[in-house]
Amino acid sequence: MLAISPPHLDDKTAVVAPRNAAQYIQTPSVWLVTAANDEYVSKDDNLALYHQLATQDKQHIEIEGEHILPAGYYQRLLGWL
């Protein structure tokens, strides 16, 4: 499963935001990709989201950068894509 969206939108904006769906994700493998210095989401929020993921086969990949990930960030995901 790959989802690219802001994880902590409020319920009025996105009822399907990852923070609301994490406990229901039961796919075999999940990679959570976050920015190291996102001005909209704290590292603690991202870590909380990671722990909420229902699957045991999960990985948290933190990319150096801000909210808009740097060019070429996807190269860190080549083993999964």
Side-chain angles (χ1 to χ4, degrees):
M1 164 178 258
L2 174 64
I4 300 174
S5 65
H8 292 281
L9 294 174
D10 64 35
D11 294 342
K12 293 179 207 161
T13 306
V15 74
V16 295
R19 73 171 186 156
N20 295 332
Q23 64 183 331
Y24 304 110
I25 297 172
Q26 297 179 5
T27 58
S29 181
V30 175
W31 285 14
L32 175 63
V33 179
T34 62
N37 300 303
D38 192 320
E39 58 270 29
Y40 300 106
V41 183
S42 72
K43 288 186 178 206
D44 288 341
D45 287 340
N46 286 330
L47 190 58
L49 176 61
Y50 175 77
H51 289 300
Q52 287 177 337
L53 293 169
T55 186
Q56 295 301 308
D57 183 11
K58 57 189 173 182
Q59 191 174 153
H60 184 189
I61 299 169
E62 190 175 71
I63 305 289
E64 281 302 319
E66 297 177 353
H67 185 70
I68 297 177
L69 294 173
Y73 79 90
Y74 60 87
Q75 293 175 354
R76 298 242 347 243
L77 310 178
L78 290 178
W80 184 76
L81 293 173

